Amino acid sequence: MNLPQRITIVEVGPRDGLQSEKKTLPTETKVRLIERLAAAGLGVVEATSFVSATAVPQLADADEVLRRLRRKTGVRYPVLVPNEKGLERAMAAGATEIAVFGSASDAYSRKNLGHTREEALEMFRPVVRRAKDSGMFVRGYLSMVIADPWDGPTPVVLAVDAGRRMLDLGCDELSLGDTVGAGTPVTVDRLVRGFLAADITPDRLAVHLHDTHHQALANVLTVLGLGITTIDASVAGLGGSTVVSDPHGNLATEDLVFFCDGSGIETGVSLAALLDTATWLRGELGR
Ligand code: MG
């Protein structure tokens, strides 16, 4: 099999995971979670989100989380930013890397972002420009790349077009989100090949897979074979879409690390430390 020697895991639990939990964790517990994930060997830990506290009350303490965090050397701590105000808050709190988010489908964009697909993408233009001018690494999330609960299957050309726009805005990396876990190896293969055919190279791509129908690891194997080596995952499989009624969990980081360990792919992560963290976190969330 054509597999990479090493992959980069982008841990999204403290942001994507916690934002869809009913229970809001105390700031100190969030900080502890991020520190434990970094200590387990994760090199990229998405720390929090600077969207409005009204939209995501679970992460209303984003500034405080970032300020209290004892950063481990060499670890990156990106934060989600919705607009210029969010960017200002993030920078004031010491963020050095951000992520912005768009949608491949129009229905999700209207429901989740409150704008058409085009408007939402345009909204990020000044944000990305300012972040790049400040020397920040910018990740773009693209949601609903496979299908959308309202619009149905997302045509590959639409996903590629939206992704191209985000890269053209200045995003360094594009994370392809199968937000409801609709993808299978066949549809994910088709999607990624669409990006590659548009001369978007695999080093600029990542995948953000949900394990709704237990296809996530099969989909990971598919994208690894196509040259993508950055994979998003969430400790304990926490997190789902905040608009789709029942939560669809993210690919669990511990499943991804087990898969890599057993396949001779380096992640730099200690599975034992990660499992301890997942167990501790479930306790904190009362699960
Ligand atoms: Mg997710």
Side-chain angles (χ1 to χ4, degrees):
M1 294 176 89
N2 178 29
L3 294 174
Q5 282 191 323
R6 186 180 176 86
I7 65 162
T8 298
I9 299 177
V10 176
E11 168 62 51
V12 299
R15 194 279 300 172
D16 192 12
L18 295 186
Q19 77 176 14
S20 52
E21 284 293 313
K22 283 199 182 73
K23 184 173 176 180
T24 299
L25 293 179
T27 305
E28 200 47 48
T29 309
K30 293 175 185 167
V31 171
R32 184 83 192 104
L33 171 62
I34 299 163
E35 290 176 354
R36 285 187 69 140
L37 291 165
L42 286 150
V44 188
V45 184
E46 195 173 63
T48 186
S49 164
F50 285 86
V51 301
S52 83
T54 323
V56 184
Q58 296 91 330
L59 302 180
D61 57 356
D63 313 72
E64 199 53 31
V65 166
L66 219 52
R67 284 202 192 94
R68 284 200 213 170
L69 183 64
R70 286 161 295 246
R71 295 172 198 226
K72 185 179 160 190
T73 309
V75 174
R76 294 158 52 196
Y77 300 96
V79 297
L80 200 72
V81 157
N83 51 34
E84 287 191 273
K85 192 173 158 226
L87 177 63
E88 275 162 26
R89 276 178 64 204
M91 288 170 92
T96 56
E97 191 168 320
I98 62 159
V100 296
F101 46 95
S103 173
S105 77
D106 205 44
Y108 183 75
S109 188
R110 287 174 195 273
K111 285 174 197 289
N112 196 40
L113 312 177
H115 297 276
T116 67
R117 199 183 77 126
E118 311 296 320
E119 286 167 358
L121 292 173
E122 267 320 298
M123 237 169 53
F124 287 112
R125 187 178 294 282
V127 180
V128 175
R129 188 183 298 133
R130 269 185 70 186
K132 291 308 298 171
D133 286 348
S134 309
M136 293 174 133
F137 183 91
V138 180
R139 156 177 262 226
Y141 280 108
L142 188 63
S143 291
M144 302 292 179
V145 290
I146 299 286
D148 170 303
W150 306 279
D151 286 348
T154 306
V156 171
V157 287
L158 275 192
V160 172
D161 174 65
R164 158 73 66 203
R165 285 164 189 251
M166 293 191 85
L167 291 169
D168 286 347
L169 291 182
C171 291
D172 297 288
E173 175 180 271
L174 185 67
S175 177
L176 306 176
D178 180 13
T179 317
V180 289
T184 63
V186 169
T187 53
V188 168
D189 177 86
R190 204 174 286 150
L191 173 80
V192 173
R193 283 182 195 279
F195 278 89
L196 302 182
D199 287 327
I200 296 168
T201 50
D203 56 298
R204 300 194 74 189
L205 296 173
V207 288
H208 184 103
L209 302 165
H210 281 223
D211 211 18
T212 319
H213 301 289
H214 304 293
Q215 304 293 299
L217 281 178
N219 294 338
V220 166
L221 187 58
T222 302
V223 306
L224 294 181
L226 293 168
I228 294 178
T229 56
T230 303
I231 312 291
D232 297 2
S234 175
V235 62
L238 289 189
S241 167
T242 47
V243 259
V244 182
S245 55
D246 44 343
H248 301 286
N250 285 298
L251 167 61
T253 315
E254 52 273 31
D255 288 345
L256 178 58
V257 171
F258 178 89
F259 166 85
C260 289
D261 283 355
S263 309
I265 301 169
E266 287 172 38
T267 62
V269 180
S270 156
L271 182 57
L274 188 59
L275 289 169
D276 274 354
T277 302
T279 304
W280 165 81
L281 179 58
R282 283 195 196 92
E284 295 292 329
L285 288 167
R287 293 191 162 197

